[in-house]
Amino acid sequence: MIATWIQAALWGFVGGIALLLGALAGYYLKIPHRIIASVMAFGTGVLIAAACFALIREAYLLGGFDSTITGFIIGVLMFTGADVYLAKRGAKHRKTFDKSRISDEYDENGPAIAAGALLDGIPESIAIGLTIITGGLVSVATVVAVFISNIPEGLSSSVGMKAMGWSKRRIFGLWFSIALITAISSLAGYSIFSQFPPDVNAATLALASGALLTMIADTMLPEAFLETHEYTGLIMALGFLLSFILSI
């Protein structure tokens, strides 16, 4: 039987490795923009359901209203503040797969894009580890949500990095490093937070939920809508339904 802490790290790595898979697809394949947008819309629905059922609901059951609401608000404010800061540093369009839509006056910054990917990924990974504490087993819905949402992020970002002149080694090395960091974050979510009282774990789950929902609204959903238009809601709803079924 694999030790629980190793399982936490492995599941975090599974979610994070989707960034590298997306980057490989974006670098080597010519994928139609509508397909990418559809995957992003589907991933949005999956993430919304995971944030609702696997995170904030568990937070409430674990710590009640006060911890849940406090953690949720902190997560929203933290992500918003960090996202605004990184956007000003050159990571505003880190999920944009059609770089022709970006103004020539806008200057993308590689380190800021990497920091943005970490900003998106760390709360998700910590949440994966926390679900093992609260439920005894990893939340399949959360892992699937993180995996699906990371594919279009790695894909769209690698397209931009390639256009900026980044080498293959640099692009793939970056995403593999971030996948390792997500594994460490998931491990931390399990090993560190398992020592804390239920109220702290509840607030952290709610924080991850707030950060995820804010990230979806700020980066994923607008990008998906630009290509899928009136079908965005349908595709997103299918993703939500899948995540709901997995969570039950």
Side-chain angles (χ1 to χ4, degrees):
M1 177 99 180
I2 301 176
T4 306
W5 67 272
I6 297 179
Q7 292 182 45
L10 287 175
W11 283 118
F13 184 74
V14 167
I17 201 64
L19 290 165
L20 180 59
L21 296 177
L24 287 166
Y27 194 92
Y28 288 110
L29 303 177
K30 296 292 185 181
I31 303 176
H33 292 164
R34 180 158 290 194
I35 298 297
I36 302 172
S38 297
V39 173
M40 194 170 287
F42 189 84
T44 294
V46 175
L47 273 182
I48 290 174
C52 294
F53 299 112
L55 299 181
I56 200 166
R57 178 178 177 275
E58 289 300 319
Y60 169 70
L61 294 175
L62 191 63
F65 270 120
D66 52 350
S67 299
T68 301
I69 293 174
T70 300
F72 187 86
I73 292 174
I74 291 173
V76 171
L77 294 177
M78 283 180 60
F79 185 91
T80 300
D83 195 41
V84 169
Y85 174 81
L86 290 173
K88 293 180 179 179
R89 296 297 183 276
K92 182 178 181 180
H93 298 285
R94 61 183 180 274
K95 283 187 170 69
T96 300
F97 44 85
D98 183 3
K99 297 302 178 182
S100 65
R101 297 200 307 260
I102 300 177
S103 170
D104 292 336
E105 299 176 357
Y106 178 78
D107 185 22
E108 285 196 304
N109 182 280
I113 291 174
L118 284 175
L119 174 67
D120 298 337
I122 288 179
E124 302 169 343
S125 304
I126 292 176
I128 288 175
L130 278 172
T131 61
I132 298 178
I133 298 175
T134 58
L137 295 171
V138 71
S139 167
V140 176
T142 304
V143 174
V144 171
V146 171
F147 187 90
I148 292 177
S149 67
N150 279 343
I151 289 176
E153 176 167 4
L155 198 158
S156 59
S157 296
S158 67
V159 170
M161 292 172 182
K162 183 179 180 181
M164 291 163 61
W166 284 40
S167 66
K168 287 188 292 186
R169 179 177 297 181
R170 189 181 180 190
I171 294 173
F172 301 145
L174 168 67
W175 293 118
F176 184 75
S177 299
I178 292 176
L180 290 178
I181 293 173
T182 60
I184 295 170
S185 299
S186 182
L187 173 60
Y190 173 77
S191 58
I192 296 176
F193 287 91
S194 63
Q195 311 301 318
F196 293 157
D199 283 351
V200 174
N201 289 334
T204 307
L205 279 170
L207 185 151
S209 176
L212 282 179
L213 289 174
T214 308
M215 182 268 289
I216 289 167
D218 285 353
T219 61
M220 291 185 68
L221 200 52
E223 191 65 31
F225 181 79
L226 285 172
E227 291 290 336
T228 54
H229 303 299
E230 63 272 12
Y231 295 104
T232 306
L234 170 64
I235 299 170
M236 184 181 70
L238 292 174
F240 184 95
L241 184 61
L242 172 64
S243 187
F244 170 71
I245 292 170
L246 291 174
S247 69
I248 299 301

